[in-house]
Amino acid sequence: MRLRHTVAAALGALTLVVTLPTAASAATGQFRYTYETEEGYEAVGFLNDPPSGACINLPGADSDALPPAYAPKNITDATATVFLSADCEGDVYYTLRPGGGASDRLKVRSVVFG
């Protein structure tokens, strides 16, 4: 009898967990970076509430034909891992804690939030 109640309770809990809606995963806040425009001017780029777990190539610095962005500022509630290469590839990367930033010396082309 107890086994039947235990199994019924476990199935009920499993059903409840499966049917609960899941929230979209995103970092809340803004990620900022500085880049050089094609005309040679300094500009600030930003990502508002970026998605978590997806690699984002930084507009204005996302190809080898352009200089990399620099001085990233992670003003989100998630950890940001920035990469020197586009598509979050390569072994040159740096992790920024939530609320953290780096100097002009850190060059970046892509970021992923986790």
Side-chain angles (χ1 to χ4, degrees), residues 10-34:
L11 286 175
L14 180 62
T15 303
L16 182 61
V17 169
V18 171
T19 58
L20 287 176
T22 56
S25 181
T28 302
Q30 191 176 72
F31 179 81
R32 296 181 192 164
Y33 59 96
T34 305

Side-chain angles (χ1 to χ4, degrees), residues 11-107:
L11 286 175
L14 180 62
T15 303
L16 182 61
V17 169
V18 171
T19 58
L20 287 176
T22 56
S25 181
T28 302
Q30 191 176 72
F31 179 81
R32 296 181 192 164
Y33 59 96
T34 305
Y35 67 99
E36 186 178 311
T37 67
E38 292 180 12
E39 295 80 24
Y41 297 106
E42 188 174 87
V44 175
F46 56 90
L47 305 170
N48 288 320
D49 299 330
S52 296
C55 180
I56 302 168
N57 289 327
L58 300 177
D62 54 355
S63 78
D64 290 334
L66 302 169
Y70 52 93
K73 307 281 186 269
N74 182 19
I75 312 168
T76 72
D77 62 353
T79 299
T81 303
V82 294
F83 292 81
L84 176 59
S85 299
D87 302 318
C88 300
E89 294 180 350
D91 57 358
V92 180
Y93 62 90
Y94 188 80
T95 303
L96 296 170
R97 63 178 172 73
S103 72
D104 291 357
R105 296 184 331 181
L106 183 62
K107 309 297 184 200

